[in-house]
Amino acid sequence: MLKLGVLISGRGSNLEALIKAAEDKDYPARVACVVADIDAAGLEHARKAGIPAVIVPRREFKDRQSFEMAVDKEMRKHGVELVCLAGFMRILTPWFVEQWLDRLINIHPSLLPSFTGLDTHKRAIEAGVKFSGCTVHFVRAGLDSGPIIIQAAVPVLPEDSEEALAARVLIEEHKIYPAAVKLIAEGRVNIHEERVFIAGASAPESIINPAYF
Ligand code: GAR
């Protein structure tokens, strides 16, 4: 069983998806602890499931590294093997990234490398892209950068609001985050020259948007 440490800042729906996936006895990972940098609503999902959940309040630390050292300590205390950022809205320093190199993953609501940062759905709509989606990737020091493990695409529809697109993407986030963790736990994820190769993965069919036939 791969032990996960999940870092959150908000509602925690991706955390909830990981907790749910781990309810299956055959799922190869378990959430060992949850850390939030603020009093996040999502902590409730952990508490309900009896998972240790703490706030490491960023504001009470003098700088980023001392905050991250406290987070790191919490992870180690619970024997965490893979750190999962799930709506964690802090940029981590190279120090933390180095501590957890190739054992630190993030979910981002766009098809990276497009639309890093905030307001991804608004910017995707404004750019007129026909697909958006979400990405799970290993974390490197740059913003929303690092080897891509898995992505899901959804169509962007002409009448989409930011909220409508976000909701469509979120459904896929809840599928691909547990899927990425499962692949890592099964030892099928290999990084070669900063690209991810998944052992035994099959090729999906192509998707075309708009449909014209
Ligand atoms: C998710 O959409 C996640 O992809 C995004 O924040 C949301 C958190 O939702 N993360 C980022 O934008 C990180 N750059 P959740 O708290 O319900 O999981």
Side-chain angles (χ1 to χ4, degrees):
M1 284 293 162
L2 189 73
K3 288 188 182 173
L4 311 177
V6 183
L7 307 192
I8 65 168
S9 301
R11 92 200 125 169
S13 71
N14 279 292
L15 164 66
E16 191 185 13
L18 290 170
I19 293 173
K20 269 211 184 126
E23 282 170 5
D24 180 343
K25 67 169 180 21
D26 294 329
Y27 191 77
R30 294 287 178 268
V31 179
C33 72
V34 176
V35 168
D37 58 326
I38 53 172
D39 189 7
L43 286 167
E44 202 45 40
H45 295 300
R47 291 186 184 126
K48 258 197 236 150
I51 296 164
V54 295
I55 304 169
V56 177
R58 167 66 183 95
R59 278 207 245 141
E60 290 174 19
F61 291 84
K62 68 174 191 316
D63 54 28
R64 282 209 289 172
Q65 188 165 335
S66 55
F67 161 70
E68 290 178 359
M69 280 169 86
V71 174
D72 180 75
K73 201 171 156 195
E74 205 58 43
M75 297 292 111
R76 296 187 193 279
K77 190 169 108 191
H78 293 280
V80 165
E81 295 161 292
L82 179 70
V83 177
C84 303
L85 308 181
F88 186 67
M89 297 318 232
R90 300 254 166 219
I91 296 169
L92 294 164
T93 66
W95 177 82
F96 190 90
V97 172
E98 192 56 41
Q99 297 306 304
W100 294 92
L101 193 69
D102 297 345
R103 297 179 302 141
L104 172 61
I105 63 176
N106 180 44
I107 185 152
H108 183 77
S110 77
L111 291 174
L112 290 174
S114 291
F115 310 117
T116 58
L118 299 174
D119 298 324
T120 51
H121 305 302
K122 182 169 179 281
R123 288 188 289 134
I125 291 167
E126 283 170 3
V129 293
K130 297 299 181 210
F131 286 102
S132 191
C134 45
T135 303
V136 180
H137 64 96
F138 288 103
V139 174
R140 297 294 185 256
L143 175 68
D144 296 320
S145 72
I148 292 170
I149 303 164
I150 185 167
Q151 294 184 306
V154 302
V156 181
L157 304 180
E159 67 278 12
D160 265 347
S161 63
E162 203 179 324
E163 293 74 26
L165 179 57
R168 193 175 307 123
V169 170
L170 194 64
I171 291 169
E172 303 306 312
E173 292 189 41
H174 297 162
K175 295 178 196 164
I176 68 168
Y177 216 0
V181 167
K182 183 170 190 278
L183 289 168
I184 292 170
E186 290 171 343
R188 294 171 61 190
V189 176
N190 302 298
I191 306 172
H192 180 68
E193 292 177 351
E194 293 297 84
R195 286 168 68 199
V196 167
F197 296 84
I198 311 277
S202 56
E205 288 177 24
S206 70
I207 312 166
I208 298 174
N209 173 43
Y212 59 93
F213 47 91

